[in-house]
Amino acid sequence: MDDKQAPPPSVPAAAPSPSPAPSASAAPSAPAAPSASAAPAASAGPSDSPAASAGGLLGRWAAVAASARAAGRRLAASAPARAAARLWAHPPRWVIPVVSVAVVLVTVLAGYQVLAGGSGEQAPPTAWTGPSTAASASTPAGPHPSASPVKRADDLALVCEGLYYPKSPRYAGRAPHQISVGVTDSLTGGPHRMRAALDIPHSLTKPLRDAWLPSDPTKSQLVACLTLTKNGTAIKKCDTLQLARGVYTLSLYEVATGRRLMQKQLFGDAATCPNVVPVGAGPTLPSTVSDKVLYQQLKNFVVAPR
């Protein structure tokens, strides 16, 4: 018999017990609704609501306005503001005239702008802005020619005003040279009064006398202009009027060219009271230049050959 011991019989492993069926109390419960405190927090970014944006802007503007008011109160309490308030309450004397002038200038400039059409363009020049180029070209300075010839003695008075007559005879050739004399003895101006005759020496020959006493003004070569410029020192009383020493300018012109041949100052030597007082004469009458003095000043131009 075999002495080897037989192995013990193997015990079969216990089968796993089936898991007990879950009871009603052990059934899984439904997930609870999140509470208000458990709600997710709002993001920190800007809100998409228009009302929220408007509210934020209003808040910022309110803060800016408050800062501005505070700055204004600080500025009003400063020394410059107090000085400005005192200046406004008691302005200096020059303020009102300066402001008035400024208002007038602004008004004038505004009217000028309106005349210009409001477009910022310069308004067309008016007559008071000065002579235009065309006007200056048509009326040159100095003597200017007459379109018509001399017809009567009064036409020669215009030579004293700067007119000349190109068709008149030139101051040239053999003597004598015919002359006409114009006089104005009023300080208010006016045209020169042409003398019809001068008191000249009776010993002159007929050609010389005719040159001094022209019967035909169209043949005059020279015009002498005697112009009162001022009243000098008092001489004497003529009733209720005062006779003063007249101061004159004597000028000599060539009729055909307007060229001035001579000019000098003369004093009235005829210190006699006039028989007739001119209409409109003032309280002072000037003494006049005698024909003798005029003859002495002008004779060399009449008798000298050219």
Side-chain angles (χ1 to χ4, degrees), residues 97-302:
V98 170
V99 172
S100 301
V101 172
V103 170
V104 171
L105 289 177
V106 170
T107 305
V108 171
L109 292 177
Y112 184 78
Q113 183 70 12
V114 171
L115 290 176
S119 59
E121 300 179 356
Q122 185 178 3
T126 55
W128 55 266
T129 58
S132 62
T133 304
S136 299
S138 61
T139 56
H144 51 281
S146 172
S148 58
V150 175
K151 297 179 180 179
R152 54 185 181 273
D154 291 342
D155 293 338
L156 294 174
L158 298 178
V159 176
C160 300
E161 310 300 328
L163 196 69
Y164 65 90
Y165 297 90
K167 296 182 180 180
S168 293
R170 297 291 300 268
Y171 176 51
R174 298 176 57 182
H177 305 284
Q178 182 170 304
I179 186 172
S180 298
V181 179
V183 178
T184 177
D185 49 9
S186 173
L187 292 176
T188 59
H192 285 68
R193 182 179 68 258
M194 301 307 297
R195 296 280 303 272
L198 290 179
D199 187 9
I200 55 176
H202 295 284
S203 60
L204 294 179
T205 64
K206 186 179 185 307
L208 287 176
R209 293 180 63 84
D210 291 342
W212 284 98
L213 307 173
S215 58
D216 186 359
T218 64
K219 296 181 180 180
S220 288
Q221 301 176 16
L222 302 171
V223 168
C225 306
L226 186 65
T227 307
L228 177 68
T229 57
K230 65 178 180 178
N231 290 322
T233 58
I235 301 176
K236 61 181 179 179
K237 283 284 188 177
C238 294
D239 293 332
T240 60
L241 302 179
Q242 177 69 53
L243 183 67
R245 184 74 63 187
V247 181
Y248 296 82
T249 298
L250 177 64
S251 303
L252 183 65
Y253 298 95
E254 183 181 13
V255 177
T257 63
R259 181 167 56 102
R260 189 174 66 193
L261 304 174
M262 180 266 287
Q263 186 176 69
K264 65 190 315 181
Q265 187 181 72
L266 298 179
F267 296 92
D269 60 304
T272 57
C273 294
N275 296 325
V276 178
V277 177
V279 176
T284 302
L285 296 176
S287 62
T288 59
V289 178
S290 65
D291 288 356
K292 180 179 179 181
V293 171
L294 289 177
Y295 176 79
Q296 293 295 330
Q297 296 294 329
L298 299 172
K299 68 176 182 178
N300 289 337
F301 295 92
V302 176

